[in-house]
Amino acid sequence: MLLHNFEMETAIPVAGKPRQEERRVLAFLDWDHLPYELSRPGQGFRMWLLRGEDSDRAMGLLRKCQAPLDVLIVDEDFFGFPEDAADICLQIRRIYPDIRIVAVESEMSEGDSVLVSLGLCDRTLPAAPDAGAIAGALQTPDTSRPCAAADGRQM
């Protein structure tokens, strides 16, 4: 029930604020715990950290996910060798074709990323990035997929 008469001439349109959805992020990083910068509520993403170097366990967890993942952060050394990380990224692209992959360069071969050379990542970070660099990569708007689009292949 309106308490006042509605007059179209004095009405002001108000746009509803869209609810910001959190991105679902899985990180394959060698950290003992998630830093505070990556675990604050309301920052636009929710992050899970997988510890250990077992690729079978990682893929098993991905297959059990109820909601699709939006972003994968993978250290190229996480599974032992960058080629192993590339294999996992290929498998993940098959499960989630639209996932955004952020690669952390190998400490052994900085500047020569296997994931970039294979067109498997959308963005790279230098080896051993701090939490601020990772948070910045997650808060950057998705514009395109430069690595995947560069070679024209479909994953």
Side-chain angles (χ1 to χ4, degrees):
M1 171 181 226
L2 290 175
L3 298 176
H4 301 285
N5 291 337
F6 179 75
E7 296 179 18
M8 193 67 160
E9 297 82 31
T10 60
I12 299 172
V14 178
K17 185 176 179 181
R19 186 174 158 238
Q20 180 182 358
E21 292 197 21
E22 289 188 327
R23 294 183 202 175
R24 291 169 299 277
V25 180
L26 178 63
F28 295 154
L29 299 169
D30 291 321
W31 282 344
D32 292 334
H33 63 281
L34 279 176
Y36 175 75
E37 296 92 330
L38 298 177
S39 57
R40 288 181 288 152
Q43 64 190 359
F45 58 87
R46 179 173 294 171
M47 180 177 265
W48 293 273
L49 180 69
L50 180 68
R51 293 177 59 192
E53 299 176 4
D54 185 355
S55 59
D56 291 332
R57 181 174 163 240
M59 292 309 297
L61 288 172
L62 285 170
R63 288 185 181 99
K64 291 179 185 176
C65 285
Q66 297 295 322
L69 294 172
D70 299 310
V71 181
L72 171 70
I73 301 173
V74 60
D75 186 334
E76 288 188 338
D77 295 330
F78 186 76
F79 296 104
F81 297 99
E83 293 78 14
D84 297 327
D87 183 50
I88 292 294
C89 289
L90 280 170
Q91 292 179 49
I92 292 171
R93 282 261 191 235
R94 287 184 193 115
I95 297 170
Y96 303 114
D98 296 326
I99 195 168
R100 183 175 177 220
I101 297 177
V102 177
V104 176
E105 291 181 349
S106 171
E107 291 181 4
M108 299 299 196
S109 57
E110 285 187 65
D112 187 25
S113 171
V114 170
L115 296 179
V116 169
S117 66
L118 294 174
L120 293 173
C121 66
D122 303 295
R123 181 166 181 178
T124 59
L125 294 173
D130 62 3
I134 293 173
L138 294 173
Q139 293 168 345
T140 303
D142 298 334
T143 53
S144 66
R145 298 179 49 158
C147 293
D151 62 3
R153 289 184 292 154
Q154 293 291 326
M155 302 276 173

